[in-house]
Amino acid sequence: MKKKQKNKEKKNEKEQKKAVKKPHFFSIGFKLWLIFFIFIFTLFTFFYGITNEWFGKMPTFEELENPETNLASQIYSADGVLLGSYFIENRSNVHFSELSPYLINALMAIEDIRFVEHSGIDQRALFRVAYGIFTGNRKGGGSTLTQQLAKNLFPRGENLSKPKLVIRKLQEWVTATKLEYNYSKEEILAMYLNTVPYGSNAFGIKSATLTFFNKMPDELNIQEAALMAGVINAPTRFSPVRNPENALKRRNLVLAKMADYNFISQPMYDSIKHIPIDMSRYFVMDHNRGQATYFREFLRSELQQWASQHQKADGTTYNIYRDGLRIYTTINSKMQQYAEDAVRKHLANDIQPAFFKHWKGQANAPFVFPDSDPKQEIKKIMNQSIRRSDRYRTMKKEGYNAEEIEEAFNTPTRMHVFSWNGPLDTIMTPLDSIRYYKFFLQASLLSIETQTGYIRAYVGGNDYRFFKYDHVTQAHRQVGSTFKPFLYTLAMQEGEYSPCSKIPNIPYSVELYDGTFWEPKNSDKNKVGEEVTLKWALANSNNWISAYLIKRFSPQAVVQMARKMGVKSPIEPVPAISLGVPDLTLYEMVGAMNTYANQGVYVKPTFITKIEDKNGNIIERFIPERTEALDEVTAYKMLELMKGVVESGTGVRLRYKYQFTNPIAGKTGTTQNQSDGWFMGITPDLTTGVWVGAEERSVHFRSLSLGQGANTALPIWALYMRKVYDDPSLGISQGEFPKPLGDMSIEFDCDKYDRLQNKNRSNTQYFRDEF
């Protein structure tokens, strides 16, 4: 028994020893280590696969250097003011140096306080998120600013499955690490702020600060910076425009965080949190608003043509809506504002009220058809206007028939319509709105610098929101007597005449090709039958002297002269051009008139000085085109002739009413039935032209005193130039025109010229009598 028991004990001992001698890798500790190493290996392999694009494409270094964001092309004035942008997304990049320190502190306080410490991934934030998920008490997110930047630069897409979402999140981690490796913290902050949307059609911090505060990012104060940092999280929910209460709470939360992290003191926080949000300078930038709207639209078409002819380094053509070009224009923002103010002041306060009063109670207002049935003509005009409208084109495209379209145009609807006191919210039929707009006179102004041809101010109409047609470059209108200087230039150039040369003021007739005769009438009966100087004739817009000169020099010669001075529009070579029947643009007329002040050299009006790419590299510089059209003596003679318009002619109100005393050469123009009023004003530094008229030529004043260019267009020139002269920062001279270096033995004082002529005649008669 004892032996058996002893054997059994030995057997148990052997089994225990055998159990103790089992391999080490079956221990629990080893299993845990094994699991850990497998996890690390899998994780390493997974991230290796992500980096090497096993799970989808990853951004390359080149893509990190040049992320595909839609950058707005910006338009700058000559004095550095941002006039507007062309964009799909209103986004413009800034550098870190252009950011307010308050903004940087506010952003880190609310979004990523350990931003300067981590390398793209914040482990503490990740553990906090993981702990929150397990405990159900999650507070805050785990994404760093760098991860958010990676997400913004390379969007995830929509409706991703959970596995794909996890992979995408890990791809963002890898991208964030790459960003941290390749960029400084300052560059990452700037890139982040350039990519985020802020609502109100503002993408990126620069567009946002301009939209909400009309400030650059480095000009933000503490409360504005806190608001901008807070809006990022949810642009709609925290919009200071749509949800001001939410925005205020969010801003104050950011300020509280800034106080917690000692970016600001507690007393400062207690003070600032009570300041209300100021949205008084809120302005959503679009092509309908802001300065120089007509100019910007004109520029758009020119730039699109330019972009189609210029290629980037990759061989594709430029896109003004995506490539972040910087367009530096010749516009001076101050002069542009003075021009827009002048147009508004004269039309809103003087001419338009006078026009309404003039037509009040009149049948068929505001149309005049002296030689045809007014009702039929008005119906024709209204039908044409309907067909030109956006409403008609849209309905036609959508398949509506004529009866349905007519019904729509006669159905009252709520709409915004133009008024000089601001847009009116009203109810009227679309047809009535068309008739309503026919009552409004339009105006345009173009002002260019004499020697350079730089366009300094460009006003194409009353309000681009309501009137899209540009009367500077698109509208061809009859120019009236402003065309006469081309004819007089021929007389001065040939040397046969001087400004004081005299011609009998009597009717003249010109034989036409069919054997009939053309004989113009004069509206002014002053000095009929007397000899008058050419200076007097031009100053008083005398038609008989123009007929004499066109007979002397021929219509073809006048057309050729106009061509030399930059006029491109078709001109029929008939005697009537001496009275101004051609239809030309204001752009052409101002460019041509500037030739006189520029000593006979025509310089094509220029609107861009240079274009840069998004990195500030100059793509192209623009040099004005110059052509010698006249000799400098002829040009100076013409200035002396046109000075008579202001000294004693149709432009004399510049002296007695507007109190200008400096040298001004000018020319008024009034077309048939007062449909168009013009004034061309030339000074040594600026040539400025103004046109006033209605959309339809049959809409005009019924009297010459109200409708003449001296009453409609000249006052706008005067209001504009008075502001220009009163601004010393512009440096616009009020001195004399420079005299030519050539022979200037001509006498421009016609009274003195008469005395000399009489003396010469007396001496000649004495010589004959004696010898």
PDB file of all heavy atoms in Angstrom, residues 442-444 477-480 482 586 667-671 674-680 689-694 700 706-714 716:
ATOM      1  N   GLN A 442     -30.174 108.505 -68.320  1.00  0.00           N
ATOM      2  CA  GLN A 442     -28.929 107.837 -67.970  1.00  0.00           C
ATOM      3  C   GLN A 442     -27.767 108.809 -68.159  1.00  0.00           C
ATOM      4  O   GLN A 442     -27.892 109.816 -68.861  1.00  0.00           O
ATOM      5  CB  GLN A 442     -28.719 106.618 -68.869  1.00  0.00           C
ATOM      6  CG  GLN A 442     -29.787 105.559 -68.754  1.00  0.00           C
ATOM      7  CD  GLN A 442     -29.693 104.793 -67.453  1.00  0.00           C
ATOM      8  OE1 GLN A 442     -28.608 104.506 -66.966  1.00  0.00           O
ATOM      9  NE2 GLN A 442     -30.843 104.472 -66.874  1.00  0.00           N
ATOM     10  N   ALA A 443     -26.650 108.491 -67.539  1.00  0.00           N
ATOM     11  CA  ALA A 443     -25.448 109.311 -67.712  1.00  0.00           C
ATOM     12  C   ALA A 443     -24.226 108.417 -67.698  1.00  0.00           C
ATOM     13  O   ALA A 443     -24.219 107.346 -67.082  1.00  0.00           O
ATOM     14  CB  ALA A 443     -25.344 110.360 -66.616  1.00  0.00           C
ATOM     15  N   SER A 444     -23.182 108.861 -68.380  1.00  0.00           N
ATOM     16  CA  SER A 444     -21.902 108.162 -68.344  1.00  0.00           C
ATOM     17  C   SER A 444     -20.785 109.192 -68.305  1.00  0.00           C
ATOM     18  O   SER A 444     -20.949 110.325 -68.783  1.00  0.00           O
ATOM     19  CB  SER A 444     -21.736 107.243 -69.556  1.00  0.00           C
ATOM     20  OG  SER A 444     -21.869 107.954 -70.769  1.00  0.00           O
ATOM     21  N   ARG A 477     -23.900 106.527 -79.536  1.00  0.00           N
ATOM     22  CA  ARG A 477     -24.917 107.580 -79.595  1.00  0.00           C
ATOM     23  C   ARG A 477     -24.432 108.715 -80.499  1.00  0.00           C
ATOM     24  O   ARG A 477     -23.236 108.959 -80.651  1.00  0.00           O
ATOM     25  CB  ARG A 477     -25.216 108.120 -78.187  1.00  0.00           C
ATOM     26  CG  ARG A 477     -25.751 107.078 -77.231  1.00  0.00           C
ATOM     27  CD  ARG A 477     -27.127 106.567 -77.616  1.00  0.00           C
ATOM     28  NE  ARG A 477     -28.146 107.578 -77.470  1.00  0.00           N
ATOM     29  CZ  ARG A 477     -29.229 107.459 -76.689  1.00  0.00           C
ATOM     30  NH1 ARG A 477     -29.428 106.353 -75.980  1.00  0.00           N
ATOM     31  NH2 ARG A 477     -30.124 108.416 -76.632  1.00  0.00           N
ATOM     32  N   GLN A 478     -25.421 109.412 -81.054  1.00  0.00           N
ATOM     33  CA  GLN A 478     -25.098 110.550 -81.921  1.00  0.00           C
ATOM     34  C   GLN A 478     -24.364 111.597 -81.088  1.00  0.00           C
ATOM     35  O   GLN A 478     -24.806 111.960 -79.998  1.00  0.00           O
ATOM     36  CB  GLN A 478     -26.390 111.124 -82.505  1.00  0.00           C
ATOM     37  CG  GLN A 478     -26.168 111.979 -83.722  1.00  0.00           C
ATOM     38  CD  GLN A 478     -27.494 112.406 -84.337  1.00  0.00           C
ATOM     39  OE1 GLN A 478     -28.125 113.342 -83.870  1.00  0.00           O
ATOM     40  NE2 GLN A 478     -27.915 111.700 -85.382  1.00  0.00           N
ATOM     41  N   VAL A 479     -23.242 112.084 -81.632  1.00  0.00           N
ATOM     42  CA  VAL A 479     -22.351 112.920 -80.818  1.00  0.00           C
ATOM     43  C   VAL A 479     -22.613 114.415 -80.946  1.00  0.00           C
ATOM     44  O   VAL A 479     -22.075 115.212 -80.169  1.00  0.00           O
ATOM     45  CB  VAL A 479     -20.871 112.628 -81.150  1.00  0.00           C
ATOM     46  CG1 VAL A 479     -20.509 111.224 -80.732  1.00  0.00           C
ATOM     47  CG2 VAL A 479     -20.591 112.840 -82.631  1.00  0.00           C
ATOM     48  N   GLY A 480     -23.405 114.838 -81.922  1.00  0.00           N
ATOM     49  CA  GLY A 480     -23.709 116.258 -82.045  1.00  0.00           C
ATOM     50  C   GLY A 480     -22.474 117.102 -82.304  1.00  0.00           C
ATOM     51  O   GLY A 480     -21.518 116.670 -82.944  1.00  0.00           O
ATOM     52  N   THR A 482     -20.026 117.870 -80.605  1.00  0.00           N
ATOM     53  CA  THR A 482     -18.718 117.455 -80.104  1.00  0.00           C
ATOM     54  C   THR A 482     -17.862 116.857 -81.217  1.00  0.00           C
ATOM     55  O   THR A 482     -16.652 116.673 -81.045  1.00  0.00           O
ATOM     56  CB  THR A 482     -18.851 116.426 -78.962  1.00  0.00           C
ATOM     57  OG1 THR A 482     -19.658 115.335 -79.406  1.00  0.00           O
ATOM     58  CG2 THR A 482     -19.477 117.051 -77.733  1.00  0.00           C
ATOM     59  N   LEU A 586     -18.576 107.050 -76.015  1.00  0.00           N
ATOM     60  CA  LEU A 586     -17.898 108.027 -75.161  1.00  0.00           C
ATOM     61  C   LEU A 586     -16.410 107.689 -75.053  1.00  0.00           C
ATOM     62  O   LEU A 586     -15.556 108.579 -75.020  1.00  0.00           O
ATOM     63  CB  LEU A 586     -18.536 108.040 -73.765  1.00  0.00           C
ATOM     64  CG  LEU A 586     -17.962 109.017 -72.751  1.00  0.00           C
ATOM     65  CD1 LEU A 586     -18.134 110.460 -73.211  1.00  0.00           C
ATOM     66  CD2 LEU A 586     -18.599 108.822 -71.375  1.00  0.00           C
ATOM     67  N   LYS A 667     -16.094 121.397 -75.297  1.00  0.00           N
ATOM     68  CA  LYS A 667     -17.068 121.394 -76.392  1.00  0.00           C
ATOM     69  C   LYS A 667     -18.343 120.737 -75.907  1.00  0.00           C
ATOM     70  O   LYS A 667     -18.332 119.613 -75.406  1.00  0.00           O
ATOM     71  CB  LYS A 667     -16.531 120.636 -77.617  1.00  0.00           C
ATOM     72  CG  LYS A 667     -17.448 120.795 -78.836  1.00  0.00           C
ATOM     73  CD  LYS A 667     -17.395 122.203 -79.377  1.00  0.00           C
ATOM     74  CE  LYS A 667     -18.513 122.494 -80.367  1.00  0.00           C
ATOM     75  NZ  LYS A 667     -19.790 122.846 -79.703  1.00  0.00           N
ATOM     76  N   THR A 668     -19.438 121.473 -76.085  1.00  0.00           N
ATOM     77  CA  THR A 668     -20.755 120.906 -75.781  1.00  0.00           C
ATOM     78  C   THR A 668     -21.299 120.226 -77.041  1.00  0.00           C
ATOM     79  O   THR A 668     -20.850 120.481 -78.156  1.00  0.00           O
ATOM     80  CB  THR A 668     -21.739 121.998 -75.336  1.00  0.00           C
ATOM     81  OG1 THR A 668     -21.839 122.973 -76.381  1.00  0.00           O
ATOM     82  CG2 THR A 668     -21.278 122.672 -74.050  1.00  0.00           C
ATOM     83  N   GLY A 669     -22.289 119.386 -76.834  1.00  0.00           N
ATOM     84  CA  GLY A 669     -22.950 118.736 -77.958  1.00  0.00           C
ATOM     85  C   GLY A 669     -24.388 118.429 -77.625  1.00  0.00           C
ATOM     86  O   GLY A 669     -24.691 117.948 -76.527  1.00  0.00           O
ATOM     87  N   THR A 670     -25.278 118.749 -78.555  1.00  0.00           N
ATOM     88  CA  THR A 670     -26.701 118.449 -78.392  1.00  0.00           C
ATOM     89  C   THR A 670     -27.207 117.876 -79.705  1.00  0.00           C
ATOM     90  O   THR A 670     -27.028 118.494 -80.757  1.00  0.00           O
ATOM     91  CB  THR A 670     -27.505 119.713 -78.026  1.00  0.00           C
ATOM     92  OG1 THR A 670     -26.879 120.365 -76.917  1.00  0.00           O
ATOM     93  CG2 THR A 670     -28.940 119.357 -77.678  1.00  0.00           C
ATOM     94  N   THR A 671     -27.815 116.718 -79.663  1.00  0.00           N
ATOM     95  CA  THR A 671     -28.243 116.078 -80.898  1.00  0.00           C
ATOM     96  C   THR A 671     -29.686 116.443 -81.236  1.00  0.00           C
ATOM     97  O   THR A 671     -30.359 117.154 -80.497  1.00  0.00           O
ATOM     98  CB  THR A 671     -28.109 114.555 -80.793  1.00  0.00           C
ATOM     99  OG1 THR A 671     -28.960 114.076 -79.737  1.00  0.00           O
ATOM    100  CG2 THR A 671     -26.686 114.158 -80.496  1.00  0.00           C
ATOM    101  N   GLN A 674     -32.788 116.957 -78.912  1.00  0.00           N
ATOM    102  CA  GLN A 674     -32.228 116.896 -77.555  1.00  0.00           C
ATOM    103  C   GLN A 674     -32.180 115.468 -76.999  1.00  0.00           C
ATOM    104  O   GLN A 674     -32.306 115.242 -75.787  1.00  0.00           O
ATOM    105  CB  GLN A 674     -33.007 117.781 -76.569  1.00  0.00           C
ATOM    106  CG  GLN A 674     -33.069 119.240 -76.924  1.00  0.00           C
ATOM    107  CD  GLN A 674     -34.142 119.565 -77.956  1.00  0.00           C
ATOM    108  OE1 GLN A 674     -33.850 120.094 -79.019  1.00  0.00           O
ATOM    109  NE2 GLN A 674     -35.381 119.260 -77.629  1.00  0.00           N
ATOM    110  N   SER A 675     -32.008 114.474 -77.897  1.00  0.00           N
ATOM    111  CA  SER A 675     -31.944 113.090 -77.426  1.00  0.00           C
ATOM    112  C   SER A 675     -30.659 112.799 -76.668  1.00  0.00           C
ATOM    113  O   SER A 675     -30.625 111.921 -75.801  1.00  0.00           O
ATOM    114  CB  SER A 675     -32.051 112.122 -78.609  1.00  0.00           C
ATOM    115  OG  SER A 675     -33.317 112.214 -79.216  1.00  0.00           O
ATOM    116  N   ASP A 676     -29.589 113.531 -77.005  1.00  0.00           N
ATOM    117  CA  ASP A 676     -28.293 113.305 -76.365  1.00  0.00           C
ATOM    118  C   ASP A 676     -27.669 114.636 -75.990  1.00  0.00           C
ATOM    119  O   ASP A 676     -27.673 115.581 -76.782  1.00  0.00           O
ATOM    120  CB  ASP A 676     -27.334 112.574 -77.309  1.00  0.00           C
ATOM    121  CG  ASP A 676     -27.904 111.280 -77.851  1.00  0.00           C
ATOM    122  OD1 ASP A 676     -27.726 110.241 -77.194  1.00  0.00           O
ATOM    123  OD2 ASP A 676     -28.536 111.308 -78.921  1.00  0.00           O
ATOM    124  N   GLY A 677     -27.137 114.681 -74.773  1.00  0.00           N
ATOM    125  CA  GLY A 677     -26.380 115.843 -74.327  1.00  0.00           C
ATOM    126  C   GLY A 677     -24.956 115.443 -74.009  1.00  0.00           C
ATOM    127  O   GLY A 677     -24.722 114.434 -73.331  1.00  0.00           O
ATOM    128  N   TRP A 678     -23.986 116.204 -74.522  1.00  0.00           N
ATOM    129  CA  TRP A 678     -22.569 115.874 -74.350  1.00  0.00           C
ATOM    130  C   TRP A 678     -21.792 117.068 -73.812  1.00  0.00           C
ATOM    131  O   TRP A 678     -22.153 118.214 -74.053  1.00  0.00           O
ATOM    132  CB  TRP A 678     -21.934 115.493 -75.692  1.00  0.00           C
ATOM    133  CG  TRP A 678     -22.461 114.270 -76.366  1.00  0.00           C
ATOM    134  CD1 TRP A 678     -23.620 114.156 -77.072  1.00  0.00           C
ATOM    135  CD2 TRP A 678     -21.828 112.987 -76.431  1.00  0.00           C
ATOM    136  NE1 TRP A 678     -23.748 112.883 -77.574  1.00  0.00           N
ATOM    137  CE2 TRP A 678     -22.658 112.143 -77.197  1.00  0.00           C
ATOM    138  CE3 TRP A 678     -20.632 112.478 -75.921  1.00  0.00           C
ATOM    139  CZ2 TRP A 678     -22.335 110.815 -77.455  1.00  0.00           C
ATOM    140  CZ3 TRP A 678     -20.303 111.152 -76.189  1.00  0.00           C
ATOM    141  CH2 TRP A 678     -21.161 110.331 -76.944  1.00  0.00           C
ATOM    142  N   PHE A 679     -20.716 116.759 -73.110  1.00  0.00           N
ATOM    143  CA  PHE A 679     -19.713 117.787 -72.831  1.00  0.00           C
ATOM    144  C   PHE A 679     -18.349 117.130 -72.750  1.00  0.00           C
ATOM    145  O   PHE A 679     -18.162 116.121 -72.067  1.00  0.00           O
ATOM    146  CB  PHE A 679     -19.970 118.543 -71.534  1.00  0.00           C
ATOM    147  CG  PHE A 679     -18.950 119.630 -71.303  1.00  0.00           C
ATOM    148  CD1 PHE A 679     -18.967 120.781 -72.084  1.00  0.00           C
ATOM    149  CD2 PHE A 679     -17.954 119.494 -70.338  1.00  0.00           C
ATOM    150  CE1 PHE A 679     -18.007 121.779 -71.907  1.00  0.00           C
ATOM    151  CE2 PHE A 679     -16.998 120.486 -70.148  1.00  0.00           C
ATOM    152  CZ  PHE A 679     -17.025 121.633 -70.948  1.00  0.00           C
ATOM    153  N   MET A 680     -17.398 117.706 -73.508  1.00  0.00           N
ATOM    154  CA  MET A 680     -16.007 117.292 -73.461  1.00  0.00           C
ATOM    155  C   MET A 680     -15.202 118.400 -72.798  1.00  0.00           C
ATOM    156  O   MET A 680     -15.195 119.532 -73.299  1.00  0.00           O
ATOM    157  CB  MET A 680     -15.464 117.048 -74.875  1.00  0.00           C
ATOM    158  CG  MET A 680     -16.146 115.936 -75.625  1.00  0.00           C
ATOM    159  SD  MET A 680     -15.736 114.342 -74.932  1.00  0.00           S
ATOM    160  CE  MET A 680     -17.278 113.476 -75.230  1.00  0.00           C
ATOM    161  N   GLY A 689     -15.060 113.283 -70.476  1.00  0.00           N
ATOM    162  CA  GLY A 689     -16.268 113.417 -71.278  1.00  0.00           C
ATOM    163  C   GLY A 689     -17.484 112.921 -70.524  1.00  0.00           C
ATOM    164  O   GLY A 689     -17.402 111.972 -69.732  1.00  0.00           O
ATOM    165  N   VAL A 690     -18.618 113.564 -70.781  1.00  0.00           N
ATOM    166  CA  VAL A 690     -19.875 113.194 -70.125  1.00  0.00           C
ATOM    167  C   VAL A 690     -20.974 113.113 -71.175  1.00  0.00           C
ATOM    168  O   VAL A 690     -21.055 113.969 -72.072  1.00  0.00           O
ATOM    169  CB  VAL A 690     -20.275 114.227 -69.044  1.00  0.00           C
ATOM    170  CG1 VAL A 690     -21.584 113.829 -68.366  1.00  0.00           C
ATOM    171  CG2 VAL A 690     -19.170 114.388 -68.007  1.00  0.00           C
ATOM    172  N   TRP A 691     -21.811 112.099 -71.072  1.00  0.00           N
ATOM    173  CA  TRP A 691     -22.993 111.949 -71.926  1.00  0.00           C
ATOM    174  C   TRP A 691     -24.213 111.791 -71.043  1.00  0.00           C
ATOM    175  O   TRP A 691     -24.155 111.114 -69.999  1.00  0.00           O
ATOM    176  CB  TRP A 691     -22.858 110.722 -72.830  1.00  0.00           C
ATOM    177  CG  TRP A 691     -24.147 110.346 -73.516  1.00  0.00           C
ATOM    178  CD1 TRP A 691     -24.619 110.807 -74.697  1.00  0.00           C
ATOM    179  CD2 TRP A 691     -25.132 109.431 -73.026  1.00  0.00           C
ATOM    180  NE1 TRP A 691     -25.840 110.252 -74.980  1.00  0.00           N
ATOM    181  CE2 TRP A 691     -26.186 109.399 -73.978  1.00  0.00           C
ATOM    182  CE3 TRP A 691     -25.245 108.650 -71.876  1.00  0.00           C
ATOM    183  CZ2 TRP A 691     -27.328 108.600 -73.795  1.00  0.00           C
ATOM    184  CZ3 TRP A 691     -26.376 107.856 -71.697  1.00  0.00           C
ATOM    185  CH2 TRP A 691     -27.402 107.835 -72.652  1.00  0.00           C
ATOM    186  N   VAL A 692     -25.331 112.383 -71.458  1.00  0.00           N
ATOM    187  CA  VAL A 692     -26.609 112.217 -70.762  1.00  0.00           C
ATOM    188  C   VAL A 692     -27.700 111.997 -71.794  1.00  0.00           C
ATOM    189  O   VAL A 692     -27.765 112.708 -72.810  1.00  0.00           O
ATOM    190  CB  VAL A 692     -26.959 113.447 -69.885  1.00  0.00           C
ATOM    191  CG1 VAL A 692     -28.356 113.289 -69.279  1.00  0.00           C
ATOM    192  CG2 VAL A 692     -25.929 113.625 -68.768  1.00  0.00           C
ATOM    193  N   GLY A 693     -28.557 111.035 -71.557  1.00  0.00           N
ATOM    194  CA  GLY A 693     -29.679 110.761 -72.451  1.00  0.00           C
ATOM    195  C   GLY A 693     -30.498 109.602 -71.910  1.00  0.00           C
ATOM    196  O   GLY A 693     -30.122 108.973 -70.921  1.00  0.00           O
ATOM    197  N   ALA A 694     -31.593 109.314 -72.550  1.00  0.00           N
ATOM    198  CA  ALA A 694     -32.446 108.209 -72.137  1.00  0.00           C
ATOM    199  C   ALA A 694     -32.085 106.951 -72.912  1.00  0.00           C
ATOM    200  O   ALA A 694     -31.357 106.991 -73.914  1.00  0.00           O
ATOM    201  CB  ALA A 694     -33.912 108.561 -72.345  1.00  0.00           C
ATOM    202  N   HIS A 700     -36.888 112.296 -74.440  1.00  0.00           N
ATOM    203  CA  HIS A 700     -35.993 113.442 -74.248  1.00  0.00           C
ATOM    204  C   HIS A 700     -36.805 114.661 -73.831  1.00  0.00           C
ATOM    205  O   HIS A 700     -38.040 114.651 -73.846  1.00  0.00           O
ATOM    206  CB  HIS A 700     -35.221 113.748 -75.533  1.00  0.00           C
ATOM    207  CG  HIS A 700     -36.095 113.872 -76.758  1.00  0.00           C
ATOM    208  ND1 HIS A 700     -36.879 114.982 -77.000  1.00  0.00           N
ATOM    209  CD2 HIS A 700     -36.304 113.017 -77.800  1.00  0.00           C
ATOM    210  CE1 HIS A 700     -37.537 114.813 -78.141  1.00  0.00           C
ATOM    211  NE2 HIS A 700     -37.212 113.625 -78.643  1.00  0.00           N
ATOM    212  N   LEU A 706     -33.635 123.003 -71.801  1.00  0.00           N
ATOM    213  CA  LEU A 706     -33.513 121.940 -70.809  1.00  0.00           C
ATOM    214  C   LEU A 706     -32.654 120.774 -71.307  1.00  0.00           C
ATOM    215  O   LEU A 706     -31.925 120.155 -70.548  1.00  0.00           O
ATOM    216  CB  LEU A 706     -34.904 121.417 -70.428  1.00  0.00           C
ATOM    217  CG  LEU A 706     -35.791 122.349 -69.601  1.00  0.00           C
ATOM    218  CD1 LEU A 706     -37.186 121.760 -69.452  1.00  0.00           C
ATOM    219  CD2 LEU A 706     -35.174 122.581 -68.222  1.00  0.00           C
ATOM    220  N   GLY A 707     -32.736 120.473 -72.598  1.00  0.00           N
ATOM    221  CA  GLY A 707     -32.100 119.275 -73.127  1.00  0.00           C
ATOM    222  C   GLY A 707     -30.714 119.454 -73.690  1.00  0.00           C
ATOM    223  O   GLY A 707     -30.055 118.462 -74.038  1.00  0.00           O
ATOM    224  N   GLN A 708     -30.212 120.678 -73.790  1.00  0.00           N
ATOM    225  CA  GLN A 708     -28.886 120.877 -74.379  1.00  0.00           C
ATOM    226  C   GLN A 708     -27.787 120.320 -73.475  1.00  0.00           C
ATOM    227  O   GLN A 708     -27.942 120.231 -72.255  1.00  0.00           O
ATOM    228  CB  GLN A 708     -28.651 122.361 -74.628  1.00  0.00           C
ATOM    229  CG  GLN A 708     -28.650 123.216 -73.371  1.00  0.00           C
ATOM    230  CD  GLN A 708     -28.406 124.676 -73.666  1.00  0.00           C
ATOM    231  OE1 GLN A 708     -27.482 125.011 -74.405  1.00  0.00           O
ATOM    232  NE2 GLN A 708     -29.235 125.549 -73.105  1.00  0.00           N
ATOM    233  N   GLY A 709     -26.677 119.953 -74.104  1.00  0.00           N
ATOM    234  CA  GLY A 709     -25.563 119.378 -73.366  1.00  0.00           C
ATOM    235  C   GLY A 709     -25.029 120.279 -72.269  1.00  0.00           C
ATOM    236  O   GLY A 709     -24.537 119.805 -71.244  1.00  0.00           O
ATOM    237  N   ALA A 710     -25.131 121.590 -72.476  1.00  0.00           N
ATOM    238  CA  ALA A 710     -24.661 122.532 -71.459  1.00  0.00           C
ATOM    239  C   ALA A 710     -25.473 122.439 -70.185  1.00  0.00           C
ATOM    240  O   ALA A 710     -24.989 122.793 -69.106  1.00  0.00           O
ATOM    241  CB  ALA A 710     -24.713 123.957 -72.005  1.00  0.00           C
ATOM    242  N   ASN A 711     -26.721 121.947 -70.284  1.00  0.00           N
ATOM    243  CA  ASN A 711     -27.594 121.845 -69.119  1.00  0.00           C
ATOM    244  C   ASN A 711     -27.622 120.430 -68.546  1.00  0.00           C
ATOM    245  O   ASN A 711     -27.825 120.255 -67.345  1.00  0.00           O
ATOM    246  CB  ASN A 711     -29.014 122.274 -69.492  1.00  0.00           C
ATOM    247  CG  ASN A 711     -29.912 122.391 -68.282  1.00  0.00           C
ATOM    248  OD1 ASN A 711     -29.616 123.134 -67.352  1.00  0.00           O
ATOM    249  ND2 ASN A 711     -31.001 121.635 -68.266  1.00  0.00           N
ATOM    250  N   THR A 712     -27.441 119.406 -69.399  1.00  0.00           N
ATOM    251  CA  THR A 712     -27.538 118.030 -68.927  1.00  0.00           C
ATOM    252  C   THR A 712     -26.188 117.423 -68.567  1.00  0.00           C
ATOM    253  O   THR A 712     -26.050 116.772 -67.534  1.00  0.00           O
ATOM    254  CB  THR A 712     -28.222 117.155 -69.996  1.00  0.00           C
ATOM    255  OG1 THR A 712     -27.452 117.195 -71.215  1.00  0.00           O
ATOM    256  CG2 THR A 712     -29.635 117.632 -70.274  1.00  0.00           C
ATOM    257  N   ALA A 713     -25.174 117.627 -69.416  1.00  0.00           N
ATOM    258  CA  ALA A 713     -23.896 116.944 -69.233  1.00  0.00           C
ATOM    259  C   ALA A 713     -22.838 117.808 -68.558  1.00  0.00           C
ATOM    260  O   ALA A 713     -22.099 117.334 -67.684  1.00  0.00           O
ATOM    261  CB  ALA A 713     -23.371 116.468 -70.587  1.00  0.00           C
ATOM    262  N   LEU A 714     -22.746 119.079 -68.957  1.00  0.00           N
ATOM    263  CA  LEU A 714     -21.708 119.963 -68.422  1.00  0.00           C
ATOM    264  C   LEU A 714     -21.711 120.041 -66.890  1.00  0.00           C
ATOM    265  O   LEU A 714     -20.630 120.016 -66.275  1.00  0.00           O
ATOM    266  CB  LEU A 714     -21.833 121.349 -69.041  1.00  0.00           C
ATOM    267  CG  LEU A 714     -20.845 122.420 -68.605  1.00  0.00           C
ATOM    268  CD1 LEU A 714     -20.543 123.381 -69.760  1.00  0.00           C
ATOM    269  CD2 LEU A 714     -21.366 123.240 -67.416  1.00  0.00           C
ATOM    270  N   ILE A 716     -22.317 117.832 -64.677  1.00  0.00           N
ATOM    271  CA  ILE A 716     -21.663 116.644 -64.097  1.00  0.00           C
ATOM    272  C   ILE A 716     -20.154 116.817 -64.164  1.00  0.00           C
ATOM    273  O   ILE A 716     -19.436 116.511 -63.200  1.00  0.00           O
ATOM    274  CB  ILE A 716     -22.118 115.370 -64.840  1.00  0.00           C
ATOM    275  CG1 ILE A 716     -23.616 115.127 -64.598  1.00  0.00           C
ATOM    276  CG2 ILE A 716     -21.296 114.161 -64.403  1.00  0.00           C
ATOM    277  CD1 ILE A 716     -24.188 113.965 -65.373  1.00  0.00           C
TER     278      ILE A 716
END
